[in-house]
Coordinates of all heavy atoms in Angstrom, one line a residue:
M1 N 153.9 105.8 107.6 CA 153.3 106.2 108.9 C 151.8 106.6 108.5 O 151.5 107.1 107.5 CB 154.0 107.4 109.5 CG 155.5 107.2 109.6 SD 156.0 105.8 110.5 CE 155.5 106.2 112.1
K2 N 150.9 106.3 109.5 CA 149.5 106.6 109.3 C 149.1 107.6 110.3 O 149.4 107.5 111.5 CB 148.7 105.3 109.4 CG 147.3 105.4 109.0 CD 146.7 104.0 108.9 CE 145.4 103.9 108.2 NZ 144.4 104.8 108.7
I3 N 148.3 108.6 109.9 CA 147.8 109.6 110.8 C 146.4 109.4 111.1 O 145.6 109.3 110.1 CB 148.0 111.0 110.3 CG1 149.4 111.3 109.8 CG2 147.5 112.1 111.3 CD1 150.3 111.7 110.9
D4 N 146.0 109.3 112.4 CA 144.6 109.3 112.7 C 144.1 110.7 112.9 O 144.4 111.3 113.9 CB 144.4 108.4 114.0 CG 142.9 108.3 114.3 OD1 142.1 109.2 114.0 OD2 142.6 107.3 115.0
H5 N 143.4 111.2 111.9 CA 143.1 112.7 112.0 C 142.1 113.0 113.1 O 141.9 114.1 113.4 CB 142.6 113.1 110.6 CG 143.7 113.0 109.6 ND1 144.8 113.9 109.6 CD2 143.9 112.2 108.5 CE1 145.6 113.6 108.6 NE2 145.1 112.6 107.9
E6 N 141.4 112.0 113.6 CA 140.5 112.2 114.7 C 141.3 112.4 116.0 O 140.9 113.2 116.8 CB 139.6 110.9 114.9 CG 138.7 110.6 113.6 CD 137.6 111.5 113.5 OE1 136.9 111.8 114.4 OE2 137.4 112.0 112.3
K7 N 142.4 111.7 116.1 CA 143.2 111.8 117.3 C 144.1 113.0 117.3 O 144.5 113.5 118.3 CB 144.0 110.5 117.6 CG 143.3 109.3 118.0 CD 144.2 108.2 118.3 CE 143.5 106.9 118.7 NZ 144.5 105.8 118.9
C8 N 144.6 113.4 116.1 CA 145.6 114.4 116.0 C 145.0 115.8 116.5 O 143.9 116.1 116.1 CB 146.0 114.5 114.5 SG 147.1 115.9 114.2
V9 N 145.8 116.5 117.3 CA 145.4 117.8 117.8 C 146.2 118.9 117.2 O 146.1 120.0 117.6 CB 145.5 117.8 119.4 CG1 144.5 116.8 120.0 CG2 146.9 117.5 119.9
R10 N 146.9 118.6 116.1 CA 147.6 119.6 115.4 C 148.6 120.4 116.2 O 148.8 121.6 116.1 CB 146.7 120.6 114.6 CG 146.0 120.0 113.4 CD 144.8 119.3 113.8 NE 143.9 119.0 112.7 CZ 143.0 118.0 112.7 NH1 142.9 117.2 113.8 NH2 142.3 117.8 111.7
C11 N 149.3 119.6 117.1 CA 150.2 120.3 118.1 C 151.5 120.7 117.4 O 152.3 121.5 117.9 CB 150.4 119.4 119.3 SG 151.3 117.9 118.9
G12 N 151.9 120.0 116.3 CA 153.1 120.3 115.6 C 154.3 119.6 116.2 O 155.4 119.8 115.7
E13 N 154.1 118.7 117.2 CA 155.3 118.0 117.8 C 156.0 117.1 116.8 O 157.2 117.1 116.7 CB 154.8 117.2 119.0 CG 154.3 117.9 120.1 CD 155.4 118.5 121.0 OE1 156.5 118.0 121.1 OE2 155.1 119.6 121.6
C14 N 155.2 116.5 116.0 CA 155.8 115.6 115.0 C 156.6 116.4 113.9 O 157.7 115.9 113.4 CB 154.8 114.7 114.3 SG 153.4 115.6 113.5
V15 N 156.1 117.5 113.6 CA 156.8 118.4 112.6 C 158.1 118.8 113.2 O 159.2 118.7 112.5 CB 155.9 119.7 112.3 CG1 156.6 120.6 111.4 CG2 154.6 119.3 111.7
D16 N 158.2 119.2 114.4 CA 159.5 119.6 115.1 C 160.4 118.4 115.3 O 161.6 118.5 115.3 CB 159.2 120.2 116.4 CG 158.5 121.6 116.3 OD1 158.5 122.1 115.2 OD2 157.8 122.0 117.2
A17 N 159.8 117.2 115.6 CA 160.6 116.0 116.0 C 161.3 115.3 114.8 O 162.3 114.7 115.0 CB 159.7 115.1 116.7
C18 N 160.7 115.3 113.6 CA 161.2 114.6 112.5 C 162.6 115.0 112.1 O 162.8 116.2 111.8 CB 160.3 114.6 111.3 SG 160.9 113.7 109.9
P19 N 163.6 114.1 112.1 CA 164.9 114.5 111.8 C 165.1 114.9 110.3 O 166.1 115.4 109.8 CB 165.8 113.3 112.1 CG 164.9 112.2 112.5 CD 163.5 112.7 112.6
F20 N 164.1 114.5 109.5 CA 164.2 114.7 108.0 C 163.2 115.7 107.5 O 163.0 115.9 106.3 CB 163.9 113.3 107.3 CG 164.9 112.2 107.8 CD1 164.4 111.2 108.7 CD2 166.2 112.3 107.5 CE1 165.2 110.3 109.2 CE2 167.1 111.3 108.0 CZ 166.6 110.3 108.8
G21 N 162.5 116.4 108.4 CA 161.5 117.4 108.0 C 160.4 117.0 107.2 O 159.9 117.7 106.3
V22 N 159.9 115.8 107.4 CA 158.9 115.2 106.6 C 157.5 115.6 106.9 O 156.8 116.0 105.9 CB 159.0 113.6 106.6 CG1 157.8 113.0 105.8 CG2 160.3 113.1 106.1
P23 N 157.0 115.6 108.1 CA 155.6 116.0 108.4 C 155.4 117.5 108.2 O 156.2 118.3 108.6 CB 155.4 115.6 109.8 CG 156.5 114.7 110.2 CD 157.7 115.2 109.4
V24 N 154.3 117.8 107.6 CA 153.9 119.2 107.4 C 152.4 119.3 107.8 O 151.7 118.3 107.6 CB 154.1 119.7 106.0 CG1 155.6 119.9 105.7 CG2 153.5 118.9 104.9
I25 N 152.0 120.5 108.2 CA 150.6 120.7 108.4 C 150.1 121.5 107.2 O 150.5 122.6 107.0 CB 150.4 121.5 109.8 CG1 150.8 120.5 110.9 CG2 148.9 121.8 109.9 CD1 150.6 121.1 112.3
E26 N 149.2 120.9 106.5 CA 148.6 121.5 105.3 C 147.1 121.4 105.5 O 146.5 120.4 105.8 CB 148.9 120.6 104.1 CG 150.2 121.0 103.5 CD 150.5 120.1 102.3 OE1 149.6 119.3 101.8 OE2 151.7 120.1 101.8
D27 N 146.4 122.6 105.3 CA 145.0 122.7 105.4 C 144.5 122.1 106.7 O 143.5 121.3 106.8 CB 144.3 122.0 104.2 CG 144.6 122.6 102.9 OD1 144.8 123.8 102.9 OD2 144.6 121.9 101.9
D28 N 145.3 122.4 107.8 CA 144.9 121.9 109.2 C 144.9 120.4 109.3 O 144.3 119.8 110.2 CB 143.5 122.5 109.6 CG 143.4 122.6 111.1 OD1 144.4 122.9 111.7 OD2 142.3 122.4 111.6
Q29 N 145.7 119.7 108.5 CA 145.9 118.3 108.6 C 147.4 118.0 108.5 O 148.1 118.6 107.7 CB 145.2 117.5 107.5 CG 143.7 117.4 107.7 CD 143.1 116.1 107.0 OE1 143.7 115.6 106.1 NE2 142.0 115.7 107.5
V30 N 147.8 117.0 109.3 CA 149.2 116.6 109.2 C 149.4 115.6 108.0 O 148.6 114.7 107.9 CB 149.7 115.8 110.5 CG1 151.1 115.3 110.3 CG2 149.6 116.8 111.7
V31 N 150.3 115.9 107.2 CA 150.6 115.1 106.0 C 152.0 114.6 106.1 O 153.0 115.4 106.4 CB 150.5 115.9 104.7 CG1 150.8 115.1 103.5 CG2 149.0 116.5 104.6
I32 N 152.2 113.3 106.0 CA 153.5 112.7 105.9 C 153.9 112.3 104.5 O 153.2 111.6 103.9 CB 153.6 111.5 106.9 CG1 153.4 112.0 108.3 CG2 155.0 110.8 106.7 CD1 153.7 111.0 109.4
G33 N 154.9 113.0 104.0 CA 155.3 112.9 102.6 C 156.0 111.6 102.3 O 156.3 110.8 103.1
A34 N 156.3 111.5 101.0 CA 156.9 110.2 100.5 C 158.3 110.0 100.9 O 158.8 108.9 100.8 CB 156.9 110.3 98.9
N35 N 159.0 111.1 101.4 CA 160.4 110.9 101.8 C 160.6 110.5 103.2 O 161.7 110.5 103.8 CB 161.2 112.2 101.5 CG 160.6 113.4 102.1 OD1 159.4 113.4 102.4 ND2 161.4 114.5 102.1
C36 N 159.5 110.0 103.9 CA 159.6 109.4 105.2 C 160.5 108.2 105.2 O 160.5 107.4 104.4 CB 158.2 109.0 105.7 SG 158.2 108.1 107.2
R37 N 161.4 108.2 106.2 CA 162.4 107.1 106.4 C 161.9 106.0 107.3 O 162.7 105.1 107.7 CB 163.8 107.7 106.8 CG 164.2 108.9 106.2 CD 164.8 108.6 104.8 NE 165.2 109.9 104.2 CZ 166.4 110.5 104.3 NH1 167.3 109.9 105.0 NH2 166.6 111.6 103.6
F38 N 160.7 106.2 107.9 CA 160.2 105.2 108.8 C 161.1 105.0 110.0 O 161.3 103.8 110.4 CB 159.9 103.9 108.1 CG 159.0 104.1 106.9 CD1 159.5 104.0 105.6 CD2 157.6 104.3 107.0 CE1 158.7 104.3 104.5 CE2 156.8 104.5 106.0 CZ 157.3 104.5 104.7
C39 N 161.6 106.1 110.6 CA 162.5 106.0 111.7 C 161.7 105.8 113.0 O 162.2 105.3 114.0 CB 163.3 107.2 111.8 SG 162.4 108.7 112.2
G40 N 160.4 106.2 113.0 CA 159.6 106.0 114.2 C 159.6 107.1 115.2 O 158.9 107.1 116.2
T41 N 160.4 108.2 115.0 CA 160.5 109.3 115.9 C 159.2 110.0 116.1 O 158.8 110.3 117.3 CB 161.6 110.3 115.4 OG1 162.8 109.6 115.2 CG2 161.8 111.4 116.4
C42 N 158.5 110.3 115.1 CA 157.2 111.0 115.2 C 156.2 110.1 116.0 O 155.4 110.7 116.8 CB 156.7 111.4 113.9 SG 156.4 110.0 112.7
E43 N 156.2 108.9 115.8 CA 155.3 108.0 116.5 C 155.5 108.1 118.0 O 154.6 108.1 118.8 CB 155.4 106.5 116.0 CG 154.5 105.6 116.6 CD 154.8 104.1 116.2 OE1 156.0 103.8 116.1 OE2 153.8 103.3 116.1
M44 N 156.8 108.1 118.4 CA 157.1 108.1 119.8 C 156.8 109.5 120.4 O 156.6 109.6 121.6 CB 158.6 107.8 120.0 CG 158.9 106.3 119.8 SD 160.7 106.0 120.2 CE 161.5 106.8 118.8
T45 N 156.9 110.5 119.5 CA 156.7 111.9 120.0 C 155.3 112.3 120.2 O 155.0 113.1 121.1 CB 157.4 112.9 119.0 OG1 158.8 112.5 118.9 CG2 157.3 114.3 119.5
C46 N 154.4 111.8 119.3 CA 153.0 112.3 119.3 C 152.4 112.0 120.7 O 152.3 110.9 121.1 CB 152.3 111.5 118.2 SG 150.5 112.0 118.2
P47 N 151.8 113.1 121.3 CA 151.2 113.0 122.6 C 149.9 112.3 122.6 O 149.4 111.8 123.6 CB 151.1 114.4 123.1 CG 151.0 115.2 121.8 CD 151.9 114.5 120.8
T48 N 149.2 112.2 121.4 CA 147.9 111.6 121.4 C 147.9 110.2 120.7 O 146.8 109.7 120.4 CB 146.9 112.5 120.7 OG1 147.3 112.7 119.3 CG2 146.9 113.9 121.3
E49 N 149.0 109.7 120.4 CA 149.2 108.4 119.7 C 148.4 108.4 118.4 O 147.7 107.4 118.0 CB 148.7 107.3 120.6 CG 149.6 107.2 121.8 CD 149.3 106.0 122.8 OE1 148.2 105.5 122.6 OE2 150.1 105.7 123.6
A50 N 148.4 109.6 117.7 CA 147.7 109.7 116.4 C 148.5 109.0 115.3 O 147.9 108.8 114.2 CB 147.4 111.1 116.1
I51 N 149.8 108.8 115.5 CA 150.6 108.3 114.4 C 150.9 106.8 114.7 O 151.3 106.4 115.8 CB 152.0 109.0 114.4 CG1 151.7 110.5 114.2 CG2 152.8 108.5 113.2 CD1 153.0 111.4 114.2
T52 N 150.7 106.0 113.7 CA 151.0 104.6 113.8 C 151.9 104.1 112.7 O 151.9 104.7 111.6 CB 149.8 103.7 113.9 OG1 148.9 104.0 112.8 CG2 149.0 103.8 115.2
F53 N 152.7 103.2 113.0 CA 153.8 102.7 112.1 C 153.2 101.8 111.1 O 153.1 100.6 111.3 CB 154.9 102.1 112.9 CG 156.2 102.0 112.1 CD1 157.1 103.1 112.2 CD2 156.5 101.0 111.3 CE1 158.3 103.0 111.5 CE2 157.7 100.9 110.6 CZ 158.6 102.0 110.7
E54 N 152.8 102.3 109.9 CA 152.3 101.5 108.8 C 152.9 102.0 107.6 O 152.8 103.3 107.4 CB 150.8 101.5 108.7 CG 150.1 100.7 109.7 CD 148.6 100.8 109.6 OE1 148.1 101.1 108.5 OE2 147.9 100.7 110.7
K55 N 153.4 101.2 106.8 CA 154.2 101.7 105.6 C 153.2 102.3 104.6 O 153.6 103.3 103.9 CB 155.1 100.7 105.0 CG 156.3 100.5 105.8 CD 157.5 100.2 105.0 CE 158.8 100.2 105.8 NZ 160.0 100.0 105.0
D56 N 152.0 101.7 104.4 CA 151.1 102.4 103.5 C 150.4 103.5 104.1 O 149.5 103.3 104.9 CB 150.2 101.4 102.8 CG 149.4 100.6 103.9 OD1 149.9 100.4 105.0 OD2 148.3 100.1 103.6
N57 N 150.8 104.7 103.8 CA 150.4 105.9 104.4 C 148.9 106.1 104.3 O 148.3 107.1 104.1 CB 151.1 107.0 103.7 CG 151.3 108.2 104.6 OD1 151.2 108.2 105.8 ND2 151.7 109.4 104.0
Ligands
SF4_1 S1 158.9 108.1 110.7 FE1 160.7 109.4 111.0 S2 161.1 110.1 108.9 FE2 159.0 109.4 108.9 S3 157.8 111.3 109.4 FE3 158.2 110.2 111.3 S4 160.0 111.1 112.2 FE4 159.9 111.7 110.0
SF4_2 S1 152.4 115.0 117.1 FE1 150.5 113.9 116.9 S2 148.9 115.2 117.6 FE2 150.7 116.5 117.2 S3 150.5 117.3 115.1 FE3 151.7 115.4 115.0 S4 150.2 113.7 114.6 FE4 149.1 115.5 115.4

């Protein structure tokens, strides 16, 4: 998954939505860790379309 940090408003929706607890907010930026299962839930949840489905993070 790829995060567009310009679009991201740090709402935390992706953090709450991920069934595997992968996204975290660190230093005011969303970080998607290596244990992402590419399920697409966060992409669908993000209100600003900041997350796109690309395997190379
Ligand atoms: S794609 Fe799925 S596993 Fe990966 S961060 Fe998003 S919600 Fe979590
Ligand atoms: S859901 Fe989207 S806007 Fe909200 S913190 Fe996650 S990436 Fe940023």
